[in-house]
Amino acid sequence: MTTSTEAQTAVATSKSQRAYAWLHERIVTREYTPGYRLVLAAIAAELDMSVVPVREAIRRLEAQGLVTFERNVGAHVAMIDDSQYRHSMGTLALLEGAATALAAPHLTEADLRRAREVNRRLVAGLDDFDPHAFTALNQEFHAVLFAPCPNPRLLELVTTEWARLGRLRDSTFTFVPGRAQESVREHEEIVRLIEAGAPPADVERAARAHRSATLAAYLNHEHPGAHA
């Protein structure tokens, strides 16, 4: 039987989760830009709740690096650190390239059909583009290709970097939607190489270049001319 205390805790948790989701969405879509001041009382009023669950949500966002809190100043949306994103993308290019190359000999015809089907769904979404949906499908596509990698430690590292990227950028394609069209074409080339039994080095090179091209597109968008 649920006690009143347990019920109150459940309600508080639900409110904190709602506040977190509300704030997270506005931060990752840049409605709340880096440096934006988060006024707890105003947010609580907007969400029709007390400041307690809002404060808990902000602490969670702070732990994820999306919010910074300074005593006597308050909470602000964290300034974007491109170096963290750049390092994670560079690391993932190496790890995912290697994992895909190692997995290639173990991919079945069914796996490759699934990869092509996911890529067709990505192509179908280009006209009515949703960067978040595209990112989710993009992750699914790559997961199909590297899942049979026989090195579990490498798979663990790839998964960790994917999660880290999700905390740094909800979707790179929000900033460079034009990159999506190039991305699906590169997907086709990677699958073609695997189907043709290309040397592992060629598969690894293609997968690594694919990831690196997305990073380059983002950096050129955010810092025009700086990475020429």
Side-chain angles (χ1 to χ4, degrees):
M1 183 175 179
T2 302
T3 66
S4 60
T5 300
E6 290 173 334
Q8 290 173 357
T9 299
V11 170
T13 300
S14 176
K15 287 183 177 181
S16 175
Q17 178 60 33
R18 182 159 65 91
Y20 167 81
W22 190 86
L23 286 165
H24 186 274
E25 173 68 16
R26 281 154 181 77
I27 292 172
V28 300
T29 60
R30 286 195 172 187
E31 181 177 339
Y32 288 173
T33 55
Y36 184 91
R37 185 184 178 203
L38 300 171
V39 181
L40 273 66
I43 295 170
E46 177 76 17
L47 296 176
D48 191 24
M49 61 177 66
S50 72
V51 297
V52 175
V54 175
R55 185 179 295 112
E56 292 175 353
I58 285 178
R59 285 173 179 165
R60 183 175 169 188
L61 290 164
E62 183 182 10
Q64 295 176 336
L66 294 175
V67 167
T68 57
F69 186 87
E70 297 180 50
R71 187 178 298 276
N72 300 322
V73 175
H76 292 78
V77 176
M79 301 302 290
I80 292 176
D81 183 352
D82 277 337
S83 65
Q84 291 185 37
Y85 175 75
R86 183 170 64 253
H87 294 325
S88 278
M89 281 290 279
T91 299
L92 189 58
L94 295 170
L95 295 174
E96 191 174 273
T100 302
L102 289 173
H106 304 281
L107 288 164
T108 65
E109 290 184 6
D111 291 329
L112 295 174
R113 282 197 301 271
R114 183 183 169 200
R116 286 193 179 280
E117 173 56 28
V118 173
N119 205 44
R120 280 194 289 271
R121 290 165 64 191
L122 286 166
V123 172
L126 290 176
D127 291 336
D128 187 17
F129 190 66
D130 179 342
H132 305 295
F134 188 94
T135 293
L137 280 174
N138 183 58
Q139 291 184 15
E140 182 178 345
F141 171 84
H142 287 288
V144 170
L145 296 187
F146 64 65
C149 174
N151 185 327
R153 177 56 179 155
L154 182 55
L155 279 177
E156 181 183 350
L157 290 171
V158 171
T159 302
T160 298
E161 283 305 317
W162 265 112
R164 179 174 172 78
L165 277 176
R167 292 193 294 271
L168 292 171
R169 296 287 184 283
D170 188 56
S171 172
T172 303
F173 298 102
T174 298
F175 310 102
V176 283
R179 168 64 189 150
Q181 294 183 351
E182 300 170 359
S183 184
V184 295
R185 287 194 293 270
E186 292 164 7
H187 286 173
E188 286 291 337
E189 175 61 15
I190 294 170
V191 173
R192 187 195 66 77
L193 286 171
I194 294 172
E195 285 179 333
D202 290 350
V203 175
E204 181 173 359
R205 190 178 302 111
R208 185 191 309 170
H210 169 66
R211 178 70 52 198
S212 297
T214 298
L215 171 60
Y218 171 80
L219 292 176
N220 286 335
H221 177 271
E222 292 295 287
H223 310 285
H227 301 274

